[in-house]
Amino acid sequence: RNINYGPVSDVSASAYPAVGGIVGFSTGSSDLSNCLNAGAISVGGSEETPRSTVYMGGILGQTSAAVTIKSAQNTGSVTFNTVTTNVFMAGIVGLLDKIDSDISYSENSGPVTASGQANGLWIAGVLGSTGWAVCDYIKNSAPITVKNCYIKTSTWLSGCVGRFDSGENTTSKTVTGMENTGNITMKE
């Protein structure tokens, strides 16, 4: 079992940071089942070093290949506070957008908070955005908060999945058994 208890923080000038408690960016097919993150995940910075796109999650920031995540748990906070073009963030995975990916029986109980400035914000308790993943029996019990955050174009905000966009995907995927008990708040 992969476990992280320490904080993971990115305050560098990287244009495309991918930050996660277990894996920041996965470039090959991976199995991240039975993982636990209890460390705080954060991305910060300043207006002098704006970022292009930020990917962050308690378990995984982003992937470029199929990933299986089963029975994963995040209890650490996930916090964004900087200037960027787009932010994909959630308690488990920021962006899971590859064919044959699967997230199931996983739970977030760590608060997810965004502040700062972005063109687009995809934020949720479990999964920020996906178009290809099977999502079964996922749960969020933590607060999801957007505060003091200037969003120029769009915000996708949810307790479980921020945005499920099939786009060009014609393959049928299942989405079942989602549960949210956390408060969802968007305020200036």
Side-chain angles (χ1 to χ4, degrees):
R1 182 173 193 190
N2 295 307
I3 300 173
N4 175 51
Y5 292 110
V8 179
S9 180
D10 183 329
V11 292
S12 71
S14 173
Y16 296 93
V19 182
I22 303 298
V23 175
F25 182 66
S26 175
T27 59
S29 294
S30 304
D31 187 340
L32 298 176
S33 297
N34 299 310
C35 293
L36 168 66
N37 175 61
I41 308 300
S42 63
V43 173
S46 67
E47 289 185 24
E48 290 81 37
T49 56
R51 295 156 184 270
S52 184
T53 301
V54 174
Y55 308 93
M56 56 190 304
I59 302 297
L60 171 66
Q62 180 198 15
T63 183
S64 65
V67 172
T68 298
I69 301 173
K70 292 184 180 179
S71 302
Q73 183 180 14
N74 178 60
T75 62
S77 62
V78 179
T79 306
F80 164 82
N81 184 15
T82 190
V83 177
T84 188
T85 303
N86 293 305
V87 183
F88 296 86
M89 64 184 295
I92 303 292
V93 182
L95 177 63
L96 186 61
D97 206 26
K98 294 301 171 191
I99 294 173
D100 297 327
S101 291
D102 180 357
I103 181 167
S104 57
Y105 301 98
S106 296
E107 180 176 354
N108 175 58
S109 60
V112 180
T113 306
S115 58
Q117 180 178 322
N119 283 341
L121 174 64
W122 293 257
I123 180 172
V126 177
L127 178 57
S129 182
T130 188
W132 303 91
V134 173
C135 302
D136 291 321
Y137 304 101
I138 56 178
K139 180 179 181 179
N140 176 63
S141 59
I144 311 301
T145 307
V146 177
K147 64 179 181 179
N148 302 321
C149 193
Y150 175 68
I151 306 298
K152 292 182 180 178
T153 56
S154 303
T155 301
W156 293 271
L157 172 65
S158 173
C160 289
V161 179
R163 183 173 185 198
F164 190 92
D165 179 10
S166 59
E168 300 287 323
N169 180 8
T170 58
T171 305
S172 177
K173 296 295 181 186
T174 62
V175 178
T176 57
M178 290 191 210
E179 179 182 350
N180 177 62
T181 59
N183 290 332
I184 301 172
T185 307
M186 186 167 182
K187 59 186 175 181
E188 290 185 42

